[in-house]
Amino acid sequence: GQNIDQPTEMTATEGAIVQINCTYQTSGFNGLFWYQQHAGEAPTFLSYNVLDGLEEKGRFSSFLSRSKGYSYLLLKELQMKDSASYLCAVRDPNSGGYQKVTFGTGTKLQVIP
Amino acid sequence: GAVVSQHPSWVICKSGTSVKIECRSLDFQATTMFWYRQFPKQSLMLMATSNEGSKATYEQGVEKDKFLINHASLTLSTLTVTSAHPEDSSFYICSATSRDSSLEQYFGPGTRLTVT
């Protein structure tokens, strides 16, 4: 089965740094995605990790430890527009040719002045 | 970048009627399309996966006779909600992977369905 856990909500201050954690237990693993979703909109791709380590992309970084079943998304220099839900998603190679992705429940981040 | 469109962006229908939602890949060939449903304050739940020219694969608990999926071409998939009920009201999102890269799913903007 698939189990992906994230904190439900987080609050952080504009200009600060916030880390959103994700732990997963899946039957197979072929990569972990982070998506950003603003209310009423579709998710937008942020990052993809398949190997252990840190991937940096501008203000956003994503870390993966496969042995621990753990990832985090790091947001630096927070801006008000970063207020959104952040979804952790794991791709399962056992899903067949279409590479099924399972989403966590998402973390709603509120950035305050 | 790869763009996926959905139509309509929102729709209101009466109980018992059917509604069709279209998902199109505008600038790439989508070998696989996914249909998700998202209830308020919840995450995306995969409903079904469709590959061009073959029958859709439905997730457990999703009624295939109620949610009809057709992936007629490499750029179009449709989801038809038949005999809609108020509990079918939700945000429906499609995504697609391209022939060139199955790494990333490109999401459509979503369709808000309200059944009265």
Side-chain angles (χ1 to χ4, degrees):
Chain A
Q2 312 273 354
N3 190 34
I4 302 173
D5 290 318
Q6 304 178 236
T8 305
E9 295 181 342
M10 297 182 72
T11 302
T13 306
E14 189 177 15
I17 299 173
V18 69
Q19 178 174 311
I20 302 175
N21 296 325
C22 172
T23 57
Y24 63 89
Q25 292 175 310
T26 56
S27 56
F29 179 84
N30 192 21
L32 185 145
F33 298 83
W34 283 97
Y35 286 87
Q36 179 191 62
Q37 186 180 26
H38 286 98
E41 299 180 11
T44 55
F45 172 80
L46 291 178
S47 68
Y48 172 71
N49 294 68
V50 66
L51 299 176
D52 292 347
L54 186 68
E55 296 277 345
E56 297 185 74
K57 189 185 295 184
R59 294 190 299 115
F60 292 13
S61 302
S62 57
F63 171 83
L64 174 67
S65 169
R66 290 171 294 171
S67 61
K68 296 181 179 179
Y70 168 69
S71 173
Y72 68 72
L73 179 69
L74 193 70
L75 291 75
K76 303 176 185 176
E77 302 171 14
L78 280 173
Q79 302 175 9
M80 298 301 291
K81 67 178 182 179
D82 296 330
S83 294
S85 287
Y86 292 85
L87 308 177
C88 172
V90 174
R91 191 158 72 168
D92 177 11
N94 297 327
S95 64
Y98 44 82
Q99 300 277 288
K100 175 181 171 180
V101 173
T102 301
F103 284 82
T105 53
T107 299
K108 185 175 181 181
L109 173 66
Q110 182 181 15
V111 180
I112 58 177
Chain B
V3 178
V4 175
S5 70
Q6 277 185 245
H7 178 80
S9 56
W10 61 270
V11 57
I12 301 173
C13 70
K14 294 185 177 181
S15 290
T17 62
S18 296
V19 61
K20 179 184 287 187
I21 302 170
E22 292 186 350
C23 177
R24 293 181 184 273
S25 57
L26 299 185
D27 52 2
F28 67 98
Q29 292 186 327
T31 49
T32 304
M33 286 186 167
F34 303 86
W35 286 97
Y36 294 87
R37 179 167 53 184
Q38 186 176 35
F39 292 107
K41 298 184 179 181
Q42 295 186 25
S43 191
L44 283 74
M45 296 300 296
L46 180 65
M47 298 175 65
T49 303
S50 71
N51 293 290
E52 185 264 339
S54 62
K55 290 184 178 180
T57 300
Y58 290 81
E59 294 300 300
Q60 192 172 6
V62 178
E63 300 174 57
K64 62 180 181 180
D65 294 330
K66 180 171 179 61
F67 299 98
L68 302 178
I69 293 173
N70 185 292
H71 193 160
S73 74
L74 282 172
T75 59
L76 174 64
S77 177
T78 60
L79 167 67
T80 302
V81 183
T82 62
S83 187
H85 291 144
E87 54 264 33
D88 297 326
S89 298
S90 186
F91 193 48
Y92 291 87
I93 306 175
C94 73
S95 70
T97 56
S98 73
R99 179 188 296 275
D100 297 329
S101 171
S102 62
L103 173 67
E104 182 178 345
Q105 290 188 32
Y106 303 100
F107 283 88
T111 297
R112 175 76 58 190
L113 170 63
T114 301
V115 184
T116 60

